[in-house]
Amino acid sequence: MEPEGPVPRGRPGASLGGSGQAPQSRNPKKMLSPEEFAKHFDHRNFEKSTCLCYQVESGGYHHSPVLLERGVIQNEGDDHAESLFLRQWRELLSPDRCYRITWYISWSPCRGCAEEVACFLEENRKVALSVAACRLYRHNKLENRQGLRRLRQAGTQIRVMSPADFKFCWENFVHHREQHFQMWKGLKENYREADRRLKDILGHLLKKEIFYVQFNNHREVQKPFRKRITYLCCKLKRLSDDGSIFDNICFQNKEGVHAEICFINKIKSMWLDERQKIHEITCYMTWSPCPDCASKLVEFSRAHPSLHLKIFAARLYFHWRWDYIKGLQQLKSAGIAVAVMSGQEFADCWRNFVDYGEDTFQPWQKLDQRWNSINRRLGRILKDLKPDDLNNDFRNLQLDCPGPMP
């Protein structure tokens, strides 16, 4: 098992090849010796430097990938392996092609590397990165946990290396002389513990099936038929001395407590810590707030005037009833931005709050048409719709008619 105390990740180390080369003359070491592999990837050893085994493929997830290169990089001087990889490949990636990059790394990225990688991915939207880490680097430090969440927010698929990942690395990055991979003692136990710890760091992620059922903006429930309840997924942006810090949290209705109230209570508890002052919150909701929750959100917003709160709703809840209409208008009057989730917001929610594996967001049929219809209705509501207008307005709009309180 990995100890709870911090373990130096270290910067010095002899290059495994390619890390000091210009991109045009890369000569990455293609194979590790069995001893080198055990030195870096056996969790019982605590080698200070980071070893990164990478695989770069072209073609993305919708086409059969074409392997471009496999290689190994290690820290060199003051440069971390992650930075060296980006330096090598940044100029080689064509903006017209999709790429799929997989890292098998002995230590998860530190806060600085995580931010650098996240910025790279945000600049190169056609690059999909998957990171499998043998160990979590100083996970007890807040800044490194925030770095992992920042990577996830940028679309990186992060996981702990499983026994199958170690076997893949042995077969593809190790000069094993036809010897089979032999699991070392405690590998499975360490994997389960580190996997649990990583999930705690990244927070609760929605299953793909739940996302497609609960966030679908169709009037009728699609197969499989499940009750649609309120989910609230929020992105928190905090300002720190060294830049912005992001967190993702997901809530759902509990018995007798709506997701909005769970959200407010959580943010209030975080606000007690001066180090966690929140600057901006973006919420993605399956249903727009009920009147009571709208009032609570207004009260919360007015108590924190420095906070910028934005709400995106997939569907409008009881949008023809005057008390629900008034609740949405109160949100607007309090300066809370309210909008309908479009394809862009659905894709953003997918990247940040769904355990999507290697899948990309697949828009459902008539998503844009439904968005246009619901968006027109919300526009009417926020333009001070009066009770006398409701009968004609409801008669002309064919929108969601939800069942019992979600």
Side-chain angles (χ1 to χ4, degrees), residues 158-267:
I158 310 172
R159 69 179 188 274
V160 174
M161 285 183 68
S162 67
D165 289 321
F166 286 106
K167 183 173 183 291
F168 179 86
C169 285
W170 176 267
E171 293 174 348
N172 293 278
F173 297 100
V174 178
H175 187 54
H176 51 72
R177 300 181 181 87
E178 299 186 358
Q179 296 180 11
H180 296 295
F181 173 65
Q182 299 292 327
M183 288 193 295
W184 43 81
K185 185 178 180 180
L187 187 153
K188 290 183 178 180
E189 292 79 3
N190 183 76
Y191 161 69
R192 287 193 289 266
E193 175 61 21
D195 182 63
R196 180 198 61 77
R197 187 176 293 142
L198 179 62
K199 288 178 179 177
D200 288 343
I201 292 172
L202 297 179
H204 174 70
L205 296 177
L206 301 177
K207 294 182 179 180
K208 292 177 284 188
E209 300 78 15
I210 290 178
F211 175 82
Y212 281 120
V213 169
Q214 299 297 339
F215 278 90
N216 194 301
N217 63 358
H218 276 289
R219 289 194 303 270
E220 301 83 11
V221 178
Q222 307 295 301
K223 292 182 180 180
F225 300 111
R226 298 179 185 175
K227 180 180 178 181
R228 296 202 286 196
I229 64 176
T230 298
Y231 280 81
L232 188 158
C233 302
C234 62
K235 291 197 300 185
L236 313 180
K237 181 179 180 181
R238 299 199 298 272
L239 298 181
S240 64
D241 294 337
D242 57 352
S244 298
I245 299 174
F246 297 87
D247 277 319
N248 296 334
I249 309 177
C250 190
F251 305 90
Q252 70 181 85
N253 281 5
K254 297 180 179 179
E255 186 174 355
V257 183
H258 287 191
E260 296 93 325
I261 305 305
C262 297
F263 158 76
I264 291 172
N265 291 338
K266 176 65 175 179
I267 302 304

Side-chain angles (χ1 to χ4, degrees), residues 76-89:
E76 181 180 345
D78 290 334
D79 292 324
H80 286 190
E82 300 93 325
S83 298
L84 294 171
F85 176 90
L86 297 182
R87 187 182 306 168
Q88 292 179 11
W89 283 90

Side-chain angles (χ1 to χ4, degrees), residues 58-113:
S58 176
Y61 294 119
H62 294 294
H63 305 88
S64 298
V66 177
L67 179 63
L68 299 181
E69 184 174 291
R70 288 189 179 123
V72 179
I73 297 176
Q74 189 183 359
N75 293 0
E76 181 180 345
D78 290 334
D79 292 324
H80 286 190
E82 300 93 325
S83 298
L84 294 171
F85 176 90
L86 297 182
R87 187 182 306 168
Q88 292 179 11
W89 283 90
R90 191 183 297 272
E91 302 301 325
L92 296 178
L93 302 179
S94 169
D96 301 323
R97 300 174 68 182
C98 294
Y99 295 91
R100 178 175 172 179
I101 299 173
T102 306
W103 288 355
Y104 302 93
I105 192 166
S106 58
W107 289 102
S108 61
C110 65
R111 177 71 172 94
C113 288

Side-chain angles (χ1 to χ4, degrees), residues 116-176:
E116 183 179 1
V117 173
C119 291
F120 169 81
L121 293 174
E122 290 168 350
E123 295 168 0
N124 298 271
R125 291 295 185 181
K126 291 189 176 183
V127 176
L129 174 64
S130 175
V131 177
C134 175
R135 310 175 189 84
L136 301 181
Y137 173 62
R138 291 187 177 180
H139 56 82
N140 55 318
K141 295 189 66 174
L142 176 61
E143 62 178 19
N144 291 322
R145 297 197 301 271
Q146 290 168 339
L148 292 175
R149 290 193 285 266
R150 176 75 173 103
L151 277 177
R152 187 66 171 78
Q153 187 265 341
T156 306
Q157 180 67 22
I158 310 172
R159 69 179 188 274
V160 174
M161 285 183 68
S162 67
D165 289 321
F166 286 106
K167 183 173 183 291
F168 179 86
C169 285
W170 176 267
E171 293 174 348
N172 293 278
F173 297 100
V174 178
H175 187 54
H176 51 72

